[in-house]
Amino acid sequence: MLWVDKYRPKTLDQVLVHEDIADNLKKLVTEQDCPHLLFYGPPGSGKKTLIMALLRQIFGPGAEKVKVENRTWKIDAGSRTIDLELTTLSSTNHVELTPSDAGFQDRYIVQEIIKEMAKNRPIDSKGKKGYKVLVLNEVDKLSREAQHSLRRTMEKYSSSCRLILCCNSSSRVTEAIRSRCLNVRINAPTEEQITRVLNFIGKKEGLQLPVGFAARIADKSNRCLRRAILSFETCRVQQLPVGIVISSFTSLLY
Amino acid sequence: MAPVLQSSQPWVEKYRPKRVKDVAHQDEVVRVLTNTLETSDCPHMLFYGPPGTGKTTTALAIAHQLFGPELYKSRVLELNASDDRGINVVRTKIKDFAAVAVGSGHRQGGYPCPPYKIIVLDEADSMTEDAQNALRRTMETYSKVTRFFLICNYISRIIEPLASRCAKFRFKPLSEEIMSNRILHICKEESLSLDAEALSTLSSISQGDLRRAITYLQGAARLFGSSISSKDLISVSGVIPQEIVGALFAACRSGNFDMANKEVNNIIAEGYPASQMLYQLFDVVVKADDISDEQKARICKSFGEADKCLVDGADEYLQLLDVTSNTMRALCNMPQEIGYGT
């Protein structure tokens, strides 16, 4: 398993970088309730990790048992029927999909699929939450029409369904959607934070890191944690004898 | 299970006015509609105005008040952008619904129940032009038994023939006073404490959009408990702290490109949206006293171009850097760009 996945924090308590945001998210879901959320931030800042951890916080370990499904949807659009194939990741309580995969037909995804999912109430009510969570990736890549369709859907089915939206830049998400969500800005981790994470991983892997090695990677990573961890692992895979002059393998970092 | 659902309802829905006269700040509309309630007669209507001013609320409230819960389902058709509204739907669904005659107007259970149906077309500006054209004649043919309520943000996107068939009402952005009243009312109901500073922050960051204000309030209440300060509201709303905007502007003034580049890098890494940065930088530039009008014009022109590019999906970092360097060029009176073609 890649280190990026191996050391991905599973719960909000384990989060190393965005402790303050994680704390806030914990407060959000303790009240048996959760607003629509919009996560935005640069790549490799930990949006997805936080979302998965949040789902676990809401629904317990069951949220991790996901199954990948490749479903074909038949959508009746007036005179013709459209076949759309879409990969979804779902557990009993949440469904995750990337509507922009459908290209210019993303409007139908939002209109039909989300509506259908939102209408299906969660089945068991023995102590479980009375709502489902839909995770939508790359909402900034959705077309205008699709975003328009989303706005009223969000309100109409708000009693049975919560949306978690995830995107890189909130500029491309229309104002109407932003004003319906609680916006959570995820900033890129600072270099010190990246250094800390790298040292943490190094210790777990039982590696002896040369002084300044982690800081060097952090410096080259452009504040992207994923890239930092990947380059770190690359260095490891190259089996460079620990203690070698650092400048000789910084070329790997690109 | 029911109580859980009750509490999980967004406040925006929970405090949506149920009756027309509760709608805040839109006096003309309320007057006309109260009249409608008494005489149970009304024209086609077109509501337009910025988001969060109560357009949908008003339309739904009048429909509920006219028909009551029992007849509502059979008399009111609500279509919005989440429903497919191509020309086909106008030709079939809307036409079919509009064509059905209804019984004569007898009061039922305290509701006027006038002898017509209502079709609410929410977000009508996102309908295609073809669909709007198909609607023209439908509106007239069935005007005996059907009234249309069109709701939109931009009246310029409604084709003229449709607009001229309706009584138009502009919904204005809510004044700070009305907004504060409403917010305080919600605070009392939810037992929140909000100091005066936080209240004025809330009104200024939401810019007359009551829905946004309520969403921010609920977000802040969830995150920070029952006493909310203005700092909490800013962190929820996604507004960029003034220091950061100030730092970028100062870097532009200094004329040092490397420094500005560093600021831009930092802003992008912190995840602040570039469009929001443009709005706030724009406020700073317009309000600055020591910049000449010509400089302001040059700066604003680059803002406009960058905004367009961002909407079209350009890279945030490059656009922000472009704006920054153009601002720097204007502020430090560096020579104008040399045209490419000449």
Side-chain angles (χ1 to χ4, degrees):
Chain A
M1 201 195 242
L2 284 179
W3 289 355
V4 179
D5 294 318
K6 194 169 167 191
Y7 294 104
R8 188 190 291 275
K10 293 280 188 306
T11 62
L12 288 177
D13 300 303
Q14 293 172 2
V15 172
L16 274 176
V17 180
H18 299 289
E19 285 103 341
D20 45 339
I21 299 175
D23 273 349
N24 284 339
L25 289 177
K26 251 184 273 172
K27 274 187 238 161
L28 267 186
V29 291
T30 45
E31 291 180 29
Q32 306 277 305
D33 179 20
C34 162
H36 296 305
L37 291 167
L38 171 67
F39 286 79
Y40 62 97
S45 57
K47 301 181 290 296
K48 220 34 192 302
T49 308
L50 279 172
I51 292 176
M52 295 323 286
L54 179 71
L55 286 175
R56 199 192 143 104
Q57 177 87 16
I58 301 176
F59 298 115
E64 276 170 22
K65 288 195 202 106
V66 289
K67 59 171 192 278
V68 184
E69 226 180 332
N70 216 343
R71 266 187 76 178
T72 318
W73 306 77
K74 277 202 189 331
I75 289 155
D76 183 28
S79 49
R80 68 220 155 94
T81 47
I82 302 169
D83 284 334
L84 278 181
E85 218 179 272
L86 199 72
T87 316
T88 57
L89 269 174
S90 56
S91 75
T92 39
N93 294 305
H94 88 279
V95 181
E96 180 185 336
L97 48 92
T98 312
S100 55
D101 280 353
F104 65 98
Q105 285 170 329
D106 54 0
R107 188 164 63 97
Y108 298 107
I109 299 277
V110 173
Q111 285 180 352
E112 298 298 327
I113 300 177
I114 294 182
K115 253 190 202 173
E116 190 188 307
M117 283 180 180
K119 273 178 192 159
N120 288 336
R121 298 295 280 266
I123 312 155
D124 60 346
S125 55
K126 46 174 202 295
K128 291 273 162 62
K129 307 290 182 300
Y131 58 87
K132 255 188 151 171
V133 173
L134 270 173
V135 182
L136 298 185
N137 294 321
E138 296 178 20
V139 271
D140 49 350
K141 302 239 167 54
L142 282 180
S143 65
R144 284 282 120 157
E145 292 84 22
Q147 295 196 21
H148 275 302
S149 323
L150 206 53
R151 23 199 280 201
R152 192 64 192 144
T153 319
M154 288 169 83
E155 284 181 351
K156 247 186 177 162
Y157 304 108
S158 64
S159 61
S160 64
C161 177
R162 294 285 179 284
L163 274 86
I164 297 183
L165 311 174
C166 177
C167 67
N168 282 138
S169 99
S170 76
S171 307
R172 263 168 265 162
V173 181
T174 57
E175 183 53 52
I177 290 184
R178 268 185 282 154
S179 80
R180 281 170 175 81
C181 298
L182 180 59
N183 295 6
V184 185
R185 179 174 59 85
I186 313 287
N187 55 334
T190 59
E191 279 167 23
E192 293 90 75
Q193 283 170 325
I194 293 182
T195 316
R196 214 168 66 221
V197 172
L198 291 181
N199 281 328
F200 169 79
I201 293 177
K203 214 193 286 165
K204 284 262 175 180
E205 289 285 322
L207 297 174
Q208 198 111 52
L209 298 183
V211 180
F213 175 74
R216 189 68 187 253
I217 289 186
D219 178 43
K220 294 284 175 202
S221 67
N222 221 348
R223 293 181 71 179
C224 171
L225 187 56
R226 183 169 33 224
R227 192 195 287 183
I229 296 177
L230 279 172
S231 351
F232 184 30
E233 192 171 3
T234 318
C235 293
R236 173 81 187 86
V237 169
Q238 296 279 330
Q239 301 239 314
L240 290 164
V242 175
I244 201 167
V245 188
I246 290 165
S247 58
S248 69
F249 60 85
T250 40
S251 58
L252 289 171
L253 298 179
Y254 292 98
Chain B
M1 194 151 133
V4 173
L5 289 181
Q6 198 63 45
S7 76
S8 68
Q9 213 181 16
W11 292 354
V12 180
E13 296 293 321
K14 193 169 167 189
Y15 294 101
R16 204 186 265 281
K18 300 281 182 303
R19 284 171 306 173
V20 171
K21 70 175 170 52
D22 295 338
V23 174
H25 197 52
Q26 315 293 354
D27 299 327
E28 297 91 351
V29 187
V30 171
R31 208 157 48 226
V32 171
L33 289 179
T34 348
N35 201 12
T36 303
L37 277 179
E38 280 155 16
T39 61
S40 65
D41 187 32
C42 84
H44 296 306
M45 289 202 236
L46 174 61
F47 298 156
Y48 64 101
T53 46
K55 301 179 295 296
T56 312
T57 306
T58 313
L60 293 183
I62 184 79
H64 273 288
Q65 274 188 284
L66 280 174
F67 299 113
E70 268 174 41
L71 273 176
Y72 183 82
K73 277 234 164 72
S74 61
R75 292 291 185 86
V76 180
L77 177 67
E78 190 198 338
L79 289 173
N80 52 57
S82 67
D83 306 287
D84 191 16
R85 281 190 311 194
I87 189 160
N88 266 320
V89 174
V90 174
R91 281 191 187 139
T92 55
K93 203 169 165 188
I94 294 184
K95 218 166 167 180
D96 288 350
F97 185 83
V100 178
V102 289
S104 57
H106 290 299
R107 292 186 79 88
Q108 280 182 8
Y111 295 101
C113 296
Y116 50 78
K117 297 172 303 275
I118 289 179
I119 298 184
V120 180
L121 292 175
D122 207 345
E123 291 143 30
D125 43 3
S126 66
M127 286 172 83
T128 59
E129 199 159 309
D130 287 344
Q132 292 190 33
N133 273 317
L135 205 59
R136 294 160 56 157
R137 196 63 194 142
T138 315
M139 273 174 92
E140 277 176 355
T141 323
Y142 303 109
S143 63
K144 255 192 188 155
V145 284
T146 308
R147 298 286 180 278
F148 283 85
F149 286 7
L150 304 181
I151 301 174
C152 64
N153 290 134
Y154 304 103
I155 196 172
S156 50
R157 288 198 206 145
I158 301 290
I159 57 167
E160 183 51 35
L162 271 194
S164 71
R165 282 174 172 80
C166 302
K168 288 185 239 133
F169 296 100
R170 192 174 76 88
F171 280 63
K172 12 183 207 302
L174 274 74
S175 73
E176 228 164 84
E177 194 194 333
I178 307 254
M179 190 121 102
S180 319
N181 280 342
R182 205 64 209 162
I183 295 291
L184 284 177
H185 167 74
I186 292 176
C187 286
K188 213 171 75 188
E189 293 279 315
E190 298 286 336
S191 58
L192 297 174
S193 76
L194 200 64
D195 56 39
E197 191 200 345
L199 192 64
S200 73
T201 312
L202 188 58
S203 332
S204 70
I205 54 179
S206 54
Q207 293 164 347
D209 182 341
L210 188 58
R211 179 176 49 221
R212 195 148 37 139
I214 295 175
T215 317
Y216 289 162
L217 186 69
Q218 190 176 16
R222 279 222 180 89
L223 286 181
F224 304 103
S226 60
S227 76
I228 297 165
S229 72
S230 82
K231 220 176 113 224
D232 301 338
L233 286 169
I234 287 183
S235 78
V236 171
S237 66
V239 173
I240 302 171
Q242 206 56 44
E243 304 93 71
I244 294 181
V245 184
L248 181 66
F249 193 59
C252 291
R253 261 175 204 274
S254 72
N256 182 340
F257 181 79
D258 289 337
M259 200 169 132
N261 188 18
K262 217 175 114 223
E263 288 291 340
V264 171
N265 258 323
N266 185 34
I267 287 165
I268 297 296
E270 287 294 316
Y272 292 114
S275 59
Q276 179 69 32
M277 191 70 204
L278 286 188
Y279 289 127
Q280 291 189 243
L281 207 56
F282 173 73
D283 280 343
V284 173
V285 169
V286 169
K287 279 187 194 132
D289 297 326
D290 53 342
I291 308 178
S292 76
D293 285 354
E294 197 214 329
Q295 285 172 327
K296 280 186 189 176
R298 277 164 65 184
I299 296 172
C300 291
K301 187 167 163 253
S302 77
F303 284 173
E305 280 162 6
D307 190 45
K308 166 73 179 146
C309 293
L310 281 176
V311 168
D312 288 345
D315 183 71
E316 296 211 317
Y317 167 70
L318 292 177
Q319 287 306 319
L320 201 54
L321 197 61
D322 177 55
V323 164
T324 320
S325 19
N326 270 320
T327 311
M328 192 187 292
R329 190 185 269 149
L331 285 177
C332 303
N333 287 317
M334 294 180 194
Q336 279 276 32
E337 205 166 347
I338 302 155
Y340 298 112
T342 53

